[in-house]
Amino acid sequence: MEENQSNRYLGEAKISKLLLKFSIPCVLSLLISSLYNIVDQIFIGNSELGTIGIAATSIVFPLTIIAQAFAWCFGDGNAAYLSICQGNKNTEKAHKSVGSILVLTLVTSLILLAIFYPLMDNILFLFGASSNSIGMAREYFTIILAFFPIFMLMNMMNAVVRADGSPAFSMASMLSGAIINIALDPIFIFACKWGIAGAAWATVIGQVVSFIISFVYFFRTKTFRLTLKSFIPDFKLIGTCIKLGLSSFITQMSIVAISLVCNIMLSKYGALSVYGEDIPIAVIGIETKVFTIVINLVVGVILGGQPILGYNYGAKKYDRVRQTYKLVLITTLIIGIVATVLFEACPIAIMSIFGSGNGVDPVLYAEYGALTFRIFLCLVTFTCTIKMTSIFFQSLGKPIQAIVASLLRDIVCFIPLVCIIPAVAENNKAGTGITALLWAAPSADLIAMIVAVILTVLFFRSLKKKEQEEDKLADYSEAAIHPTQKGVIVTIARRHGSAGKQAGKLAAEKLGIPFYYKEMVALAAQESGLDKEFISDLNANSPAILKELYLSTDVVQQAVAAQDKIIRKIADEGSCVIVGRAADYVLRDYPDVVKVFIDAPKEYRMNKVMEVYGDTREEAEKNIKRADGARAAYYKSISGKNWGEREDYDLYLDSSDGPEACAEKICALVAERTIKAKA
């Protein structure tokens, strides 16, 4: 009841107040995370290490992102799965998933160590190291790499801590590590004169502190308890978690791809220019760290808006969706415009925070720095809006639009452009490729922004149409749970076109017990405050390949939890027949449950679909495949099991003899169970 009231609060409270409440912790958490990436650069740039030191750490940065990509994939996927387990009250799989993912993270970190150590110099040169920077890059990366297991486990564990209902603890862990890093950097770099190694040691000690704090939390978790059995890998659970975390992995690896290609181009065309190899890489490294602060502000705001957007979209309160989007968009535009003004007006002042170009020509360093901030980031407002648009669609359970908005700018546009533009310029005039390269970012921003606007306009037009359409569902406003005598509960799962619903209804009539199908949707809507149609369409809102991502979103999990709660309430009131909604799994702990699966030959089902829905043969085949795929994905998501396995059901029926024959067999089994129960 308390959770239900909290959900309804998202649909009733003032949006600006809600956004402020949820966004501030997100923004702070992301800014703290970015401190790890920026503090070293500031102290290194202002030390005798200078610009070469900045270039060295910039070369290593994407390699740490590879480790972080795996850690976030495992951690965010496990966090999403924990949310599913919490909704299903499945504590057994919760602790197994956490233990399995901890083991997987550790093993992956050791594999990365085994790959990176022997190939270190080759990898560093690939990512843009020069003869000047390779020594520092090697020294820095050797220390950072040794602590990859700690770094990856820390990132993975923090995601689990947040999902366990302790975001403040997770933030405290990250903040403690960042503070340690900041405190130790000047001591190790300046006082101890450890140089680039000092910066590395400050970073890894901060990571160790964060790891220890997160590790301690695992002895006081709220929703699961780890035992030795937890650490026996469950490969099915691992597969599910990886699917759920795949979007985080793709996002992080896209950063690696961008950094790799960009550094290669900077090194190549920098060597052909007056700036040399090291200045461009160092400057872009600084630009990346400064830009991270800006984008994290935007991401923090939209992440804070996620639960508000998701709930109100599911509740069909589209005006509140529009209001939230408008407020987030305005905030994003303000952040982007302020950043643009700063980057255009005072790039040298920003660069000076990271030193004045020690070890290289300070005039060329300042010149290329000014060009980079004024050209490369001239459309930073667009960049922020594109990122905001991607997370906006993800919040609403629209994974296709989210992925298009996210990857179009970085992968589809930027990477080809950063290769093509400088090549064309260098062919026309020697030495100009390095400055022409800077136009790749705004060009990619412009293209991606056009697509983002189109996606957004189409989406809000679809909202208008939805508001104008009549409710497609029957009116079940009077739907209620009907108490009956205690006895057998029949759950029916069925393939599309098998007439399973009709068989279930006939069986309920013959047995004289209540029948629940669409009524569950209305009851779940009453329970959660979400819209009936949204709950009804849980299995139809995304293609199969992205189903795991869709089902892991907050609003969908609210709907699933409400639906499961209603199924249990129905079962608590006595004997009945329940069709669909994975009721056999939801009621797995209930005694006297008869689990039925109704199938039929494909030809029979196609004919049935054509007869009932008026589909053509091609449409019938397509709709059967879509409906069955969606049901299977939903069942797999909440149970971790394959849908339709014969051994999981008490009765597996072929309905080609007709719904009446199926109903008779169901009634016979119920009678048999009833007699046994009385004996």
Side-chain angles (χ1 to χ4, degrees), residues 51 54-55 58 266 278-289 351 364-373 438:
T51 303
I54 291 177
S58 298
L266 288 166
D278 297 313
I279 287 177
I281 287 180
V283 168
I284 290 293
I286 292 169
E287 172 274 326
T288 300
K289 305 304 182 294
M351 290 286 296
L364 291 175
Y365 173 76
E367 181 182 294
Y368 195 74
L371 285 171
T372 297
F373 276 87
L438 299 174

Side-chain angles (χ1 to χ4, degrees), residues 263-285:
N263 281 1
I264 290 172
M265 294 299 108
L266 288 166
S267 179
K268 176 182 177 180
Y269 293 104
L272 300 175
S273 72
V274 294
Y275 302 110
E277 294 177 73
D278 297 313
I279 287 177
I281 287 180
V283 168
I284 290 293

Side-chain angles (χ1 to χ4, degrees), residues 378-428:
C378 66
L379 292 183
V380 69
T381 305
F382 284 9
T383 319
C384 293
T385 307
I386 293 160
K387 187 66 177 176
M388 181 274 291
T389 302
S390 173
I391 300 175
F392 168 73
F393 282 122
Q394 188 179 339
S395 305
L396 304 180
K398 303 287 182 184
I400 291 180
Q401 292 93 323
I403 289 175
V404 168
S406 177
L407 297 186
L408 181 67
R409 189 263 180 196
D410 295 334
I411 302 299
V412 178
C413 295
F414 179 78
I415 289 180
L417 289 171
V418 84
C419 297
I420 295 168
I421 292 175
V424 172
E426 193 71 28
N427 285 336
N428 289 333

Side-chain angles (χ1 to χ4, degrees), residues 487-489 587-594 673:
V488 175
I489 299 162
L587 301 177
R588 62 195 178 280
D589 297 326
Y590 278 64
D592 301 326
V593 173
V594 169
R673 285 285 183 91

Side-chain angles (χ1 to χ4, degrees), residues 395-675:
S395 305
L396 304 180
K398 303 287 182 184
I400 291 180
Q401 292 93 323
I403 289 175
V404 168
S406 177
L407 297 186
L408 181 67
R409 189 263 180 196
D410 295 334
I411 302 299
V412 178
C413 295
F414 179 78
I415 289 180
L417 289 171
V418 84
C419 297
I420 295 168
I421 292 175
V424 172
E426 193 71 28
N427 285 336
N428 289 333
K429 185 178 180 182
T432 61
I434 194 65
T435 50
L437 176 151
L438 299 174
W439 289 102
S443 301
D445 285 328
L446 182 61
I447 296 167
M449 185 65 186
I450 292 170
V451 175
V453 169
I454 292 170
L455 289 174
T456 305
V457 169
L458 290 175
F459 170 75
F460 280 111
R461 281 183 181 173
S462 74
L463 279 193
K464 228 172 203 179
K465 287 181 181 178
K466 283 186 178 182
E467 287 174 322
Q468 294 168 355
E469 286 177 355
E470 291 182 2
D471 192 351
K472 294 178 183 178
L473 296 175
D475 185 9
Y476 289 107
S477 56
E478 300 300 321
I481 298 174
H482 305 288
T484 184
Q485 75 277 8
K486 294 295 179 184
V488 175
I489 299 162
V490 180
T491 64
I492 296 179
R494 79 280 186 223
R495 294 197 189 277
H496 189 49
S498 65
K501 181 179 69 174
Q502 294 93 316
K505 192 168 186 180
L506 285 170
E509 290 171 358
K510 290 176 182 293
L511 293 167
I513 57 177
F515 171 77
Y516 296 96
Y517 175 56
K518 288 291 188 183
E519 293 86 353
M520 287 186 294
V521 171
L523 291 166
Q526 293 168 17
E527 174 68 29
S528 63
L530 297 173
D531 181 69
K532 297 192 297 294
E533 188 173 347
F534 178 81
I535 295 175
S536 179
D537 288 344
L538 283 179
N539 288 344
N541 279 337
S542 70
I545 194 170
L546 300 173
K547 181 63 70 174
E548 293 284 357
L549 179 60
Y550 167 70
L551 290 172
S552 69
T553 55
D554 288 343
V555 65
V556 173
Q557 284 306 305
Q558 289 176 27
V560 170
Q563 183 175 264
D564 291 358
K565 189 174 181 180
I566 288 300
I567 290 171
R568 292 189 188 96
K569 279 186 177 181
I570 289 170
D572 289 339
E573 291 299 326
S575 185
C576 61
V577 175
I578 303 173
V579 173
R581 304 286 153 176
D584 59 294
Y585 179 75
V586 176
L587 301 177
R588 62 195 178 280
D589 297 326
Y590 278 64
D592 301 326
V593 173
V594 169
K595 295 180 287 185
V596 180
F597 193 93
I598 299 180
D599 199 351
K602 184 178 178 182
E603 191 66 28
Y604 174 87
R605 293 191 290 130
M606 286 179 62
N607 289 333
K608 199 72 175 175
V609 169
M610 288 188 286
E611 175 191 329
V612 174
Y613 300 103
D615 288 356
T616 63
R617 188 173 184 80
E618 292 75 18
E619 289 170 341
E621 185 171 14
K622 182 179 178 181
N623 286 333
I624 285 173
K625 185 177 180 181
R626 178 199 56 77
D628 287 349
R631 289 171 186 174
Y634 177 79
Y635 193 81
K636 179 80 170 179
S637 174
I638 70 165
S639 71
K641 303 174 72 175
N642 292 326
W643 179 71
E645 296 285 351
R646 285 178 179 267
E647 60 270 20
D648 291 334
Y649 299 91
D650 301 304
L651 197 59
Y652 200 101
L653 298 175
D654 181 343
S655 65
S656 57
D657 290 337
E660 182 75 31
C662 285
E664 291 289 351
K665 291 174 184 176
I666 293 169
C667 291
L669 182 57
V670 170
E672 183 184 326
R673 285 285 183 91
T674 304
I675 291 169

Side-chain angles (χ1 to χ4, degrees), residues 299-374:
V299 170
V301 172
I302 184 62
L303 285 179
Q306 266 192 339
I308 309 166
L309 288 163
Y311 179 84
N312 285 287
Y313 181 70
K316 230 174 182 179
K317 296 184 177 182
Y318 297 142
D319 280 341
R320 288 179 66 83
V321 172
R322 291 190 187 93
Q323 290 172 37
T324 307
Y325 174 82
K326 184 178 179 182
L327 194 54
V328 170
L329 178 62
I330 290 171
T331 307
T332 298
L333 292 175
I334 290 171
I335 293 169
I337 291 168
V338 170
T340 303
V341 170
L342 289 173
F343 297 157
E344 296 296 324
C346 46
I348 303 299
I350 296 171
M351 290 286 296
S352 66
I353 297 171
F354 298 86
S356 56
N358 298 341
V360 296
D361 187 323
V363 175
L364 291 175
Y365 173 76
E367 181 182 294
Y368 195 74
L371 285 171
T372 297
F373 276 87
R374 285 174 175 157

